[in-house]
Amino acid sequence: MNIIDEIGILAISTRLQRLSEQLRKDGAQIYSYFNIDFEPKWFPVIYTLHVKEMLSVVEIANEIGYSHPSTISLLKELEKEKIISSKKDKQDERKRLIILTAKGKELVSKMQPVWSIMTITLNEITNTQNNLLRAIEEAEQNLTRQGFLQRAIDIKSKG
Amino acid sequence: MNIIDEIGILAISTRLQRLSEQLRKDGAQIYSYFNIDFEPKWFPVIYTLHVKEMLSVVEIANEIGYSHPSTISLLKELEKEKIISSKKDKQDERKRLIILTAKGKELVSKMQPVWSIMTITLNEITNTQNNLLRAIEEAEQNLTRQGFLQRAIDIKSKG
DNA sequence: CAAAACTATGTAGTTAACTACATATATACA
DNA sequence: TGTATATATGTAGTTAACTACATAGTTTTG
């Protein structure tokens, strides 16, 4: 056990990041093992388009919680891979509407059984005494109620 | 299991990363609010040196769980800030031994009350029904027992 | 005891996110 | 109605981690 594991809560940001990175890398290995040419970072965009069919760039960015420039760079890759395509919105010429191509939809159906397996596997890993997904949701809710900085200021003035 | 739950766990890597990033940014604001010139990313190195006094580059990298090149680049910044200093190991000329400078030690004592406040605050945020730190530890333990890929392969062959 | 293997450090280049700024179009209001 | 404001997209540059490779020193072994 190293120091970061020992310090506990103060290093929680580092811990979250490390676990995220590990799951992302393992996810990439799983796609590769099942002979699917897909990068984990594409998942949020593709899944969103699978469910919502057609969205603008900013709508996707909001759905996946990324900045719009990050989203644009993902969309560029996916367009190069011919997994998505886009066209101007006739009603609003500023907007670019994104959809899955036939190839993209095919890819989604090929991935669905793998997603099921991943879901089962991730539940095995994270549905422990303290459920990781619930824990994230609860922490995010607390942060929404009152931010980290404001809480720290309050504790200082009280303590 | 419905679609929302499915995307929930499938997107867990993204969720972990986002929460990590938010806490890191908020942490930076807290240091700044308390007039401390310190970046959250330096924390693992500084805390490690505070506890272990003197370590080589690779020893620090192992303690904080980063690659050695990442560690080198953090050490470069900290050396520029005169928070740490380093000297060759006389016993093993390959090694560079790192210690906190007087300025570094002063900084640590200035930060300790802030770390206490952060600890309280982070516990408020994460010690919910499902404790986030425990949840991370439990998930990491499960991954150590058997990796994500191997679990996925097992489920495929069973299912 | 010299060659091979290993270990420690360092450099170069990549990646995947970000912020700040720029531009085009749409909407609101004086 | 035309100017100010807001929104959508895009570009440039930054950041903080990584991997792959290079080099120097140490240890092992045939």
Side-chain angles (χ1 to χ4, degrees):
Chain A
M1 171 166 289
N2 63 31
I3 274 202
I4 294 303
D5 294 326
E6 282 167 17
I7 303 168
I9 196 74
L10 271 177
I12 192 140
S13 172
T14 304
R15 297 286 294 277
L16 289 165
Q17 196 184 335
R18 201 198 297 175
L19 184 53
S20 163
E21 182 60 15
Q22 190 182 347
L23 291 174
R24 203 194 52 74
K25 274 187 200 158
D26 291 359
Q29 282 191 299
I30 292 175
Y31 286 121
S32 154
Y33 176 83
F34 286 99
N35 289 307
I36 292 170
D37 190 17
F38 191 75
E39 299 185 25
K41 67 175 166 171
W42 294 340
F43 175 78
V45 171
I46 295 307
Y47 197 89
T48 300
L49 285 171
H50 167 58
V51 173
K52 304 256 171 160
E53 303 264 327
M54 185 187 295
L55 292 172
S56 74
V57 173
V58 168
E59 281 163 353
I60 294 173
N62 290 338
E63 287 288 341
I64 70 179
Y66 280 19
S67 69
H68 82 269
S70 308
T71 305
I72 287 170
S73 103
L74 288 172
L75 292 174
K76 264 186 192 157
E77 282 180 50
L78 289 165
E79 202 147 18
K80 212 173 88 187
E81 301 277 333
K82 305 214 190 305
I83 291 169
I84 62 158
S85 67
S86 67
K87 61 167 199 272
K88 263 226 155 76
D89 183 339
K90 289 285 154 58
Q91 271 69 55
D92 184 340
E93 295 257 305
R94 293 170 304 177
K95 286 189 186 174
R96 191 155 69 91
L97 297 174
I98 319 290
I99 51 167
L100 289 174
T101 60
K103 184 185 169 189
K105 284 177 187 164
E106 216 175 286
L107 181 61
V108 167
S109 30
K110 201 172 159 198
M111 284 193 288
Q112 272 171 333
V114 178
W115 289 347
S116 300
I117 290 173
M118 284 180 167
T119 300
I120 296 168
T121 307
L122 286 169
N123 276 322
E124 265 183 26
I125 293 166
T126 63
N127 189 22
T128 54
Q129 205 175 342
N130 295 274
N131 181 291
L132 183 59
L133 191 54
R134 297 287 115 65
I136 293 171
E137 281 162 1
E138 288 160 8
E140 281 177 346
Q141 248 169 37
N142 279 342
L143 281 170
T144 303
R145 271 200 281 281
Q146 190 179 27
F148 188 14
L149 174 60
Q150 193 53 53
R151 285 171 191 269
I153 293 170
D154 284 8
I155 283 168
K156 195 211 175 183
S157 65
K158 271 182 238 157
Chain B
M1 170 159 297
N2 64 29
I3 271 195
I4 297 305
D5 289 350
E6 195 167 304
I7 193 165
I9 196 74
L10 275 175
I12 192 146
S13 171
T14 304
R15 297 285 295 276
L16 287 166
Q17 196 185 336
R18 201 191 302 171
L19 183 54
S20 163
E21 182 59 15
Q22 190 182 345
L23 291 174
R24 203 193 53 71
K25 273 187 202 158
D26 290 359
Q29 282 191 298
I30 292 174
Y31 285 122
S32 153
Y33 176 83
F34 286 99
N35 289 309
I36 292 171
D37 189 17
F38 191 75
E39 300 186 24
K41 66 174 168 172
W42 295 339
F43 176 78
V45 170
I46 295 308
Y47 196 89
T48 300
L49 286 170
H50 167 58
V51 173
K52 304 258 172 158
E53 302 265 327
M54 186 188 296
L55 292 173
S56 74
V57 174
V58 167
E59 282 165 350
I60 294 172
N62 291 337
E63 286 292 340
I64 69 178
Y66 280 19
S67 69
H68 82 270
S70 308
T71 305
I72 287 170
S73 102
L74 288 171
L75 292 174
K76 263 185 192 158
E77 282 180 49
L78 289 165
E79 201 146 19
K80 211 171 88 188
E81 301 278 334
K82 305 218 190 304
I83 292 170
I84 63 159
S85 67
S86 66
K87 61 167 199 271
K88 262 225 157 75
D89 184 340
K90 289 286 154 60
Q91 271 69 54
D92 185 340
E93 294 258 306
R94 293 169 305 177
K95 288 189 184 172
R96 191 154 69 91
L97 297 174
I98 319 289
I99 52 168
L100 289 174
T101 60
K103 184 185 170 192
K105 285 178 188 166
E106 215 176 286
L107 181 61
V108 167
S109 31
K110 202 173 159 197
M111 284 193 287
Q112 272 171 334
V114 178
W115 289 347
S116 300
I117 290 172
M118 284 181 167
T119 300
I120 295 168
T121 308
L122 286 169
N123 277 322
E124 264 185 25
I125 293 166
T126 63
N127 188 23
T128 53
Q129 205 175 342
N130 296 274
N131 181 292
L132 182 59
L133 191 54
R134 297 289 116 63
I136 292 171
E137 281 162 1
E138 288 160 7
E140 281 178 346
Q141 249 168 38
N142 280 341
L143 280 171
T144 303
R145 271 200 279 283
Q146 190 179 27
F148 188 13
L149 175 60
Q150 192 53 54
R151 285 171 191 269
I153 292 169
D154 285 8
I155 283 167
K156 195 210 173 183
S157 64
K158 270 182 238 155

